[in-house]
Amino acid sequence: MAVSVEPGSAGEIAEFARLQQRLPGLTRRVFEDRLAPRTVAVIPSLSLDPESLARIPGSLHYEERQLSMLLLLRMPNTRLVYVTSQPLHPLVVDYYLNMMQGVPTAHARRRLSLLSAYDGSPGALSGKLLDRPRLDGEGRERPRAPVKALARLAAAIGDRSIAHLSVFSSSPLERTLAVRLGVPLYSCDPALMLLGSKSGGRRLFREAGVPCPAGEEDLRDRADVVAALAALRGRDPSLRRAVVKLDDGFSGEGNALFDYAGAPEGAGLEPWIDAELPARLRFEAPGESFEHYLAKLAGMHGIVEAWIDGEDKRSPSAQFRINPLGEIESVSTHDQVLGGPHGQVFHGSLFPAASGYRAEIHAAGRSVAERLRDLGVIGRVGVDFIVTREARGWRHWAIEINLRKGGTTHPFQMLQYLSDGRYCPEDGEFRTRGGEPRCYYATDNLGRGCYRRLTPDDVIEVAVEEGLHFDPATQCGVAFSLLGCIAEHGKLGLTAIGATHQAAQALYAQAVSALDRAAGCEGEPLPQR
């Protein structure tokens, strides 16, 4: 039964812990049986730093990234409730439902409930839902209706004994929502989210025996940053650069680069760094200022670590899932595609990671996941690395932990659900049911101003006319995402699936060319950010 207690109180925390005890039973009875009745309530709330989100064009439409979960409706007794801030374009919903094989669209639609808060203002969706306790099925508030808090959402969920919440990220808002609804949260306990901060990650890497760059954590102000930068250079006089990171920054937007060129040695180093810091700290986030960054550091805290140099340097990642029984599932590896002023902003991913270091980062990432499991974490775990090629092979350093869904989650789900294949952790490949390998190139950041001339209908029409749409017969093609973002922000996402890396990237290039022609901007370079 749903409970209303003060958010953040001991009572809420105790009730949340009680709710979470249902998850192991759900895992045994429901999760592994495709025919078992279940309800998944998807709350794709971006409960992250609002200032960082505001810098991302069309960030509100990132609630669409979990629409890949609509493909769970291919399981005939699964019901899905999907909640958004603004109503979804009907064509976008149809686009996902029509991708399913073996299940009539009408059958799937009967098991899908769509709710909207009708609120396009900045802020986390979970907070909007908690502010609208009498939300009805069409998003209208009914202040005089004789219903209890979140009754419409609870009614759409139905039998809470077979239901769970799926969220993008876990925060105290999602904990309160779970308790108010009486439905467990299949995600990391918000009380453990500090393990995924930059400072928490560095401590955990050391505990797991996984190498990470030299550095300092738990920094709170300018003096801390100056002392940490001086200590790094003092230990390694050959160090050329260092990076400052906000603890809860994401996608590289909270990072800043510091250059030691011309730095003195000895006692003069720290005063020199203090004097040079405002001019030399170069931010990844556009429009960031030194004073504002220090204010964010004071509230969020952060780290300083050595910048890893290398002629052949890459940034792969490894993804895992820890289920409520404490079992660790290897999900995938990726090579991250990075951009931004200093190459630290996440733009996309190439699956799987290169074979030369794939096994190493998988093993190191699994050590991190095991440590997190021992500390009580459940849900998705991503571990980011830097690797450089050396004479004896590749060397790796762990740099970040993500305890949430991210830019690599929905592309892999699309591949998995569309092909009905599986990831093989033994060699890091994904294979269709027929045993054929599949790779993909994915991005959420394909955009330019002229794409505002296109609508979701136009994009789908282009895909069909150009033969880009995912073909179940060949198990190759393009799947789009963020379609609701294109007309307003000229931006969308896509996952190009092919038999090899080269084939996937060729499909991506073909899709870009087709969109350029349709929008009338063929030949113009894609903007860099």
Side-chain angles (χ1 to χ4, degrees):
M1 182 174 180
V3 175
S4 179
V5 290
E6 186 68 22
S9 66
E12 181 185 80
I13 292 170
E15 178 60 23
F16 179 74
R18 188 190 68 79
L19 272 178
Q20 296 302 89
Q21 291 173 8
R22 291 189 200 165
L23 288 172
L26 277 173
T27 303
R28 296 185 185 95
R29 296 193 321 271
V30 172
F31 291 173
E32 300 303 322
D33 181 359
R34 66 178 297 274
L35 297 179
R38 81 197 74 191
T39 299
V40 183
V42 182
I43 315 291
S45 179
L46 276 71
S47 302
L48 303 167
D49 176 48
E51 288 189 19
S52 298
L53 282 174
R55 295 193 182 102
I56 301 175
S59 59
L60 184 67
H61 291 280
Y62 277 55
E63 292 175 2
E64 296 178 25
R65 291 201 294 184
Q66 284 186 255
L67 281 171
S68 56
M69 296 192 71
L70 265 61
L71 300 183
L72 289 174
L73 293 169
R74 65 200 175 113
M75 296 185 289
N77 295 313
T78 291
R79 295 179 61 252
L80 196 137
V81 182
Y82 201 98
V83 189
T84 50
S85 292
Q86 293 276 51
L88 293 166
H89 191 300
L91 185 70
V92 174
V93 178
D94 288 342
Y95 176 70
Y96 284 89
L97 293 180
N98 287 328
M99 287 184 184
M100 282 187 294
Q101 302 299 309
V103 177
T105 300
H107 190 279
R109 186 175 284 280
R110 284 198 300 271
R111 295 179 281 114
L112 172 64
S113 298
L114 300 173
L115 297 177
S116 170
Y118 276 70
D119 184 349
S121 65
L125 170 61
S126 295
K128 296 172 185 178
L129 296 175
L130 291 167
D131 287 341
R132 286 170 170 77
R134 301 184 189 278
L135 195 70
D136 79 10
E138 295 180 352
R140 296 185 296 258
E141 289 185 70
R142 303 176 63 193
R144 294 184 179 86
V147 293
K148 296 181 180 179
L150 297 170
R152 296 289 175 174
L153 179 51
I157 292 171
D159 184 355
R160 292 190 289 264
S161 70
I162 57 170
H164 72 274
L165 298 184
S166 174
V167 298
F168 175 79
S169 56
S170 187
S171 78
L173 288 173
E174 283 70 43
R175 178 176 61 207
T176 297
L177 193 61
V179 170
R180 294 280 176 89
L181 291 169
V183 177
L185 179 66
Y186 193 170
S187 187
C188 180
D189 185 333
L192 299 175
M193 287 299 288
L194 285 175
L195 296 171
S197 69
K198 305 298 187 297
S199 291
R202 288 182 55 84
R203 286 190 290 270
L204 201 133
F205 295 146
R206 292 193 293 267
E207 292 172 10
V210 173
C212 63
E216 305 284 343
E217 54 267 9
D218 298 315
L219 310 181
R220 298 167 182 261
D221 54 28
R222 177 175 180 164
D224 286 350
V225 170
V226 169
L229 289 169
L232 269 181
R233 176 76 173 200
R235 291 194 294 268
D236 181 5
S238 68
L239 185 65
R240 297 172 55 240
R241 288 177 288 185
V243 61
V244 184
K245 299 180 180 180
L246 298 177
D247 260 354
D248 295 327
F250 57 90
S251 297
E253 293 277 356
N255 296 3
L257 199 62
F258 182 83
D259 195 321
Y260 288 103
E265 297 181 9
L269 176 60
E270 192 163 325
W272 179 87
I273 291 174
D274 187 43
E276 292 286 325
L277 191 64
R280 287 183 180 247
L281 208 54
R282 293 176 287 167
F283 306 104
E284 289 290 347
E288 183 63 275
S289 70
F290 181 69
E291 292 76 15
H292 183 263
Y293 191 81
L294 287 185
K296 296 288 287 185
L297 179 71
M300 193 180 288
H301 303 169
I303 67 169
V304 163
E305 63 186 18
W307 177 263
I308 303 298
D309 280 314
E311 290 187 12
D312 190 353
K313 180 173 106 171
R314 307 180 194 178
S315 183
S317 65
Q319 288 74 42
F320 305 86
R321 185 182 297 107
I322 306 172
N323 75 17
L325 300 177
E327 298 164 342
I328 299 174
E329 175 189 357
S330 299
V331 174
S332 60
T333 64
H334 291 82
D335 276 316
Q336 298 184 101
V337 179
L338 302 179
H342 313 296
Q344 299 181 80
V345 177
F346 179 81
H347 278 191
S349 58
L350 188 64
F351 168 86
S355 59
Y357 46 77
R358 188 188 304 161
E360 291 182 17
I361 66 164
H362 174 267
R366 189 173 181 89
S367 295
V368 173
E370 288 171 352
R371 179 62 184 146
L372 289 165
R373 183 265 319 275
D374 294 344
L375 293 170
V377 170
I378 64 169
R380 191 173 178 87
V381 173
V383 186
D384 296 342
F385 295 85
I386 292 292
V387 298
T388 59
R389 190 194 296 271
E390 300 184 349
R392 293 179 294 177
W394 293 92
R395 185 179 178 188
H396 67 267
W397 296 263
I399 59 169
E400 187 169 340
I401 296 172
N402 291 304
L403 299 180
R404 54 174 169 77
K405 294 178 170 67
T408 62
T409 305
H410 60 285
F412 186 83
Q413 285 180 334
M414 293 300 292
L415 172 64
Q416 184 179 35
Y417 296 155
L418 289 173
S419 70
D420 201 22
R422 71 179 189 92
Y423 177 70
C424 305
E426 299 79 19
D427 59 8
E429 298 279 355
F430 185 94
R431 291 185 175 81
T432 66
R433 294 185 71 179
E436 297 177 346
R438 287 295 179 268
C439 305
Y440 64 73
Y441 180 88
T443 180
D444 287 332
N445 289 283
L446 175 58
R448 58 175 86 207
C450 61
Y451 283 1
R452 292 190 178 95
R453 300 168 188 160
L454 303 176
T455 66
D457 308 69
D458 296 327
V459 173
I460 294 171
E461 187 173 319
V462 167
V464 173
E465 289 178 351
E466 298 282 342
L468 296 169
H469 193 63
F470 184 84
D471 184 348
T474 64
Q475 302 278 280
C476 296
V478 171
F480 291 103
S481 57
L482 296 180
L483 285 170
C485 193
I486 192 163
E488 184 179 357
H489 297 280
K491 176 180 176 180
L492 77 166
L494 68 80
T495 302
I497 300 171
T500 64
H501 282 160
Q502 293 75 16
Q505 290 172 303
L507 263 175
Y508 169 79
Q510 186 181 349
V512 171
S513 296
L515 291 170
D516 287 353
R517 288 194 298 273
C521 53
E522 188 175 8
E524 295 180 16
L526 283 170
Q528 298 298 312
R529 180 168 179 270

